[in-house]
């Protein structure tokens, strides 16, 4: 089987969850005997491929261009949707009006992409149901979970302590941005005596400055780390906190869980479908809810149970196997 992956052109220079999902899926599909090429070209010739696999219905402009061209050439389209409705996030945050309008206006492009896809690959049943409801589509779908590299279980907390001199801290891994909601987390931890470490690039400069001003000496900012360094950070943390406006379910949540780190995370998205009663959940617009989830997570200390759960159910070999099952369904249609 020969498959073409197409994704936004900046997937390397601006890495995010869709980048990781695509690259790890490719690696593990290759081990199953599937030949996979990657293209970011809008004038792609699809001759010789059995199907094209597109990524991302949230950032949809590039996906629309790829889908239009592939459909025109008559090749089956499989779509990893990577979608959650951002309406509540835009409604509850002071963001530019053009961003809010663009989100809703791009629903037209999302409908077109969905209409051209042969099969949808949502990361959860909740995501599938959200798409069906919002876009009234009856497209077939096959749930392919978001997953994690099992090497995240191999971190060394002593290496982190040697470099940063920190232990028993709360960790949040993700871009510094309003959607990830780090400012609310900073406010929630004030007065608790819990040190906070934020790892990730600043996605919004003004928001980043607000976080630094609010955090003062209680927050340590680390712009970025390699995968190996991140493993050590998760191993050293007392809890990982991701109070985002939504997560599906958040790669850093999965990484932290694989490392044996307890997690407190948003209720919005599909987090509860992945972690069930093993995680603590919060409302992103409620400081008290975030604080309570962090303190409860520290008290419960479900890190070991989370680790066993994630390593048994959510590693990339499973994602590749489910993806291949979906491909076979499409080619049998």
């Amino acid at each position: 089987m020969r498959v073409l992956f197409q994704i936004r052109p900046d997937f390397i220079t601006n890495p995010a969850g869709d980048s990781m999902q695509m690259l790890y899926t490719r690696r593990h599909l290759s081990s199953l005997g599937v030949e996979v090429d990657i293209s970011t070209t809008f004038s792609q010739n699809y001759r010789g491929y059995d199907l094209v696999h597109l990524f991302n219905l949230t950032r949809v402009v590039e996906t629309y261009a790829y889908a239009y061209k592939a459909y025109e050439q008559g090749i089956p389209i499989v779509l990893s949707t990577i979608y959650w409705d951002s309406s509540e996030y835009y409604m509850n945050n002071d963001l530019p009006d053009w961003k809010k309008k663009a989100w809703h206006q791009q629903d037209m492009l999302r409908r077109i992409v969905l209409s051209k896809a042969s099969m949808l690959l949502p990361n959860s049943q909740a995501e599938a149901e959200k798409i069906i409801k919002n876009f009234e589509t009856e497209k077939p779908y096959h749930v392919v979970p978001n997953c994690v590299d099992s090497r995240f279980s191999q971190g060394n907390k002593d290496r982190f302590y040697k470099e940063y001199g920190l232990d028993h801290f709360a960790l949040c891994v993700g871009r510094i941005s309003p959607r990830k909601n780090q400012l609310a987390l900073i406010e929630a931890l004030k007065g608790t005596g819990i040190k906070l470490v934020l790892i990730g690039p600043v996605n919004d400069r003004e928001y980043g400055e607000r976080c630094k001003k609010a955090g003062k000496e209680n927050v340590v900012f680390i712009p970025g780390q390699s995968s190996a360094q991140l493993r050590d950070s998760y191993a050293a943390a007392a809890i990982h906190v991701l109070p985002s406006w939504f997560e599906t379910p958040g790669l850093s949540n999965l990484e932290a869980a694989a490392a044996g780190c307890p997690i407190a995370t948003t209720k919005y998205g599909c987090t509860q479908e992945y972690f069930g009663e093993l995680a603590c959940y919060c409302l992103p617009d409620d400081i008290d809810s975030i604080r309570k989830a962090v303190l409860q997570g520290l008290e419960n200390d479900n890190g070991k149970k989370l680790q066993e759960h994630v390593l048994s159910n959510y590693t990339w070999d499973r994602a590749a196997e489910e993806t291949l099952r979906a491909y076979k369904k499409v080619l049998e249609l």
Side-chain angles (χ1 to χ4, degrees):
M1 186 184 298
R2 191 167 181 231
V3 178
L4 181 70
F5 281 5
Q6 286 199 283
I7 193 169
R8 55 189 173 83
D10 63 345
F11 78 94
I12 294 177
T13 58
N14 184 27
D18 57 348
S19 311
M20 296 299 100
Q21 184 174 331
M22 184 204 68
L23 291 170
Y24 276 109
T25 300
R26 182 197 189 197
R27 179 186 302 175
H28 287 267
L29 278 175
S30 297
S31 69
L32 296 176
V34 180
E35 183 181 346
V36 181
D37 295 326
I38 298 174
S39 169
T40 59
T41 302
F42 294 108
S43 57
Q44 178 69 41
N45 187 321
Y46 299 95
R47 185 177 301 169
Y49 292 102
D50 295 295
L51 54 82
V52 60
H53 186 158
L54 307 182
F55 293 80
N56 209 330
L57 199 60
T58 298
R59 178 170 158 174
V60 71
V61 175
E62 295 97 336
T63 310
Y64 165 77
Y66 298 140
Y68 187 90
K69 190 72 174 179
Y71 188 81
E72 190 178 56
Q73 294 187 32
I75 186 169
I77 298 170
V78 171
L79 172 67
S80 287
T81 46
I82 312 176
Y83 170 85
W84 200 261
D85 188 351
S86 297
S87 298
E88 191 162 3
Y89 161 61
Y90 285 117
M91 182 174 65
N92 287 280
N93 287 275
D94 185 21
L95 298 168
D97 286 341
W98 68 266
K99 285 190 175 182
K100 300 177 184 180
K101 291 177 181 177
W103 172 259
H104 293 292
Q105 289 171 347
Q106 288 174 1
D107 275 351
M108 178 181 67
L109 300 183
R110 295 184 179 99
R111 290 182 187 279
I112 294 172
V113 172
L114 289 168
S115 72
K116 297 185 183 304
S118 300
M119 176 77 73
L120 309 181
L121 306 185
N123 286 145
S124 66
Q125 183 63 32
E127 184 179 343
E129 292 171 2
K130 180 72 70 173
I131 291 169
I132 290 168
K133 178 182 177 181
N134 285 10
F135 299 101
E136 300 177 328
T137 181
E138 296 182 357
K139 284 288 179 179
Y141 69 88
H142 185 91
V143 174
V144 175
N146 224 331
C147 288
V148 68
D149 185 337
S150 60
R151 288 177 296 179
F152 276 94
S153 64
Q154 301 168 10
N156 185 316
K157 64 180 181 181
D158 294 332
R159 284 196 297 255
F160 182 91
Y161 183 80
K162 183 177 181 180
E163 183 167 359
Y164 297 102
L166 295 171
D167 58 7
H168 197 73
F169 59 91
L171 173 66
C172 176
V173 176
R175 302 185 201 190
I176 310 299
S177 70
R179 188 176 82 75
K180 294 294 183 179
N181 207 28
Q182 287 95 342
L183 184 58
L185 175 57
I186 291 169
E187 296 295 336
L189 292 185
K190 285 184 176 178
T192 64
I194 301 170
K195 196 84 171 180
L196 176 61
V197 174
L198 301 180
I199 299 178
V202 176
N203 192 233
D204 181 309
R205 183 177 296 178
E206 181 182 350
Y207 186 80
E209 289 301 319
R210 291 173 63 194
C211 287
K212 289 178 181 178
K213 184 177 180 180
K216 298 180 180 178
E217 69 280 353
N218 195 55
V219 181
V220 175
F221 293 83
I222 302 175
Q225 289 186 329
S226 68
S227 180
Q229 290 172 318
L230 275 174
R231 295 173 212 161
D232 295 342
S233 299
Y234 290 125
I239 190 167
H240 182 258
V241 192
L242 204 57
S244 316
W245 280 91
F246 58 88
E247 290 292 347
T248 62
L251 284 178
S252 60
N253 274 332
L254 288 165
E255 292 167 355
C261 183
I263 58 176
T265 189
T266 180
K267 282 185 177 181
Y268 297 157
C270 61
T271 52
Q272 294 176 83
E273 186 172 328
Y274 277 69
F275 306 117
E277 296 180 357
L278 296 177
C280 292
Y281 302 97
C282 63
L283 298 171
D285 58 347
D286 186 334
I287 299 296
D288 289 337
S289 173
I290 297 171
R291 183 185 300 110
K292 182 179 178 181
V294 173
L295 296 177
Q296 189 65 56
L298 288 169
E299 182 179 340
N300 292 349
D301 193 15
N302 281 332
K304 187 63 177 176
K305 293 179 181 178
L306 270 167
Q307 184 179 52
E308 292 172 356
H309 172 66
V310 166
L311 293 179
S312 297
N313 295 283
Y314 298 113
T315 52
W316 287 112
D317 52 350
R318 181 192 168 193
E321 289 165 2
E322 295 296 342
T323 301
L324 183 54
R325 288 190 183 99
Y327 290 170
K328 291 178 178 177
K329 287 182 182 179
V330 169
L331 297 176
E332 288 170 359
L333 292 178

